[in-house]
Amino acid sequence: MTIDEVVAIVDQGLFVVIKVAAPVLLISMAVGLIVSIFQTVTSIQEQTLTFVPKVLAIFMTIMLIGHWMLTEMVNLMTTLWSDFSLYVK
């Protein structure tokens, strides 16, 4: 197994991690921004106010796209395990 093959596997894995994590992170960031704007407009300075909307938004996001996220991760693992004989020389 060469260095190029290892780099390709790591690259593939990192790409899947970024692709799977990005929707949840973007939704969390958007909800945090909306709640922050709401707090600024209404002068509410409660720090725990952002927690519940973010958790609900993340939960809903995972419910909606969780199947896709799991499919992407399973596809990566299936590819890695199916090529396992090529890695061990």
Side-chain angles (χ1 to χ4, degrees), residues 16-51:
V16 169
V17 167
I18 291 169
K19 189 167 61 169
V20 166
V24 176
L25 293 174
L26 290 173
I27 293 294
S28 176
M29 187 175 63
V31 169
L33 181 64
I34 291 168
V35 171
S36 176
I37 290 171
F38 174 75
Q39 283 181 322
T40 302
V41 169
T42 60
S43 297
I44 298 174
Q45 297 302 322
E46 182 64 32
Q47 293 180 358
T48 58
L49 182 63
T50 61
F51 181 73

Side-chain angles (χ1 to χ4, degrees), residues 1-11 86-87 89:
M1 183 172 220
T2 65
I3 301 273
D4 293 334
E5 291 171 335
V6 173
V7 169
I9 292 170
V10 171
D11 183 46
L86 299 175
Y87 305 141
K89 291 183 184 180

Side-chain angles (χ1 to χ4, degrees), residues 77-88:
M77 290 310 298
T78 303
T79 303
L80 288 176
W81 281 105
S82 66
D83 295 341
F84 189 72
S85 62
L86 299 175
Y87 305 141
V88 180

Side-chain angles (χ1 to χ4, degrees), residues 50-82:
T50 61
F51 181 73
V52 173
K54 276 187 182 180
V55 168
L56 291 175
I58 290 171
F59 181 69
M60 292 301 293
T61 303
I62 291 174
M63 280 181 42
L64 291 174
I65 64 169
H67 182 266
W68 170 78
M69 294 166 72
L70 189 60
T71 302
E72 290 294 319
M73 291 185 282
V74 166
N75 287 341
L76 174 67
M77 290 310 298
T78 303
T79 303
L80 288 176
W81 281 105
S82 66

